[in-house]
Amino acid sequence: QVHLVESGGGLVQPGGSLRLACAASETVLSTGVMGWYRQAPGKQRELVAHMSRSGSVEYADSVKGRFTISRDDAKKTVYLQMNNLKPEDTGVYYCNADLELADRYEYDYWGQGTQVSVSS
C-alpha cells in the first residue's frame, strides 16, 4: 500500500524552478518529520532537506539559499520549492516521512520518487 505520493518533477532549464509536493494518503493519520532526498545517477541517495512538525529545518549545503521546504499538516503534505536549478540538481527526488498509521508507527517511509532533470 502506497502511503506517500510525490508530484511536480520534470525537465527544466538551468536557472529555472520546480515545486515538488508529497502527499500522505488517507491511510496516514498524521506525519512526523517529513523531508526530501535525491539520488543522482551513479551516486548515493542524499538528504536535500527535512522539516519537523515544530518547524525545525535542515538543508544540504548545496541547496541552501535556493530550495525551500514547507509543510501543511492539515493536508499531510510537504513541499519543496526549488529555484535557480542547476544541472547537478538532476536526479530522482524521494519523499521520506515518519507516519502514524492505524495499527503502527512507521519510521523512514519512502515515496516512490519523482524525476527532476535540469538541462539546456
Side-chain angles (χ1 to χ4, degrees), residues 47-48 59-65:
L47 172 71
V48 176
Y59 291 100
D61 287 343
S62 60
V63 307
K64 286 179 180 177

Side-chain angles (χ1 to χ4, degrees), residues 27-74:
T27 58
V28 176
L29 301 180
S30 68
T31 57
V33 175
M34 301 186 79
W36 293 93
Y37 290 70
R38 67 186 179 189
Q39 187 165 18
K43 294 188 176 181
Q44 289 188 330
R45 193 173 297 187
E46 63 176 1
L47 172 71
V48 176
H50 63 70
M51 189 173 191
S52 70
R53 288 184 66 91
S54 65
S56 177
V57 175
E58 180 179 355
Y59 291 100
D61 287 343
S62 60
V63 307
K64 286 179 180 177
R66 300 188 298 122
F67 291 11
T68 302
I69 189 171
S70 61
R71 59 189 288 165
D72 183 336
D73 288 331

Side-chain angles (χ1 to χ4, degrees), residues 68-109:
T68 302
I69 189 171
S70 61
R71 59 189 288 165
D72 183 336
D73 288 331
K75 296 181 179 179
K76 296 178 291 184
T77 300
V78 63
Y79 304 95
L80 186 68
Q81 177 67 43
M82 305 185 293
N83 298 327
N84 190 21
L85 282 159
K86 303 176 180 181
E88 51 264 41
D89 294 316
T90 294
V92 179
Y93 282 67
Y94 296 93
C95 181
N96 176 276
D98 297 337
L99 306 177
E100 181 184 3
L101 305 176
D103 60 347
R104 66 190 186 280
Y105 200 91
E106 191 150 340
Y107 293 94
D108 284 332
Y109 184 89

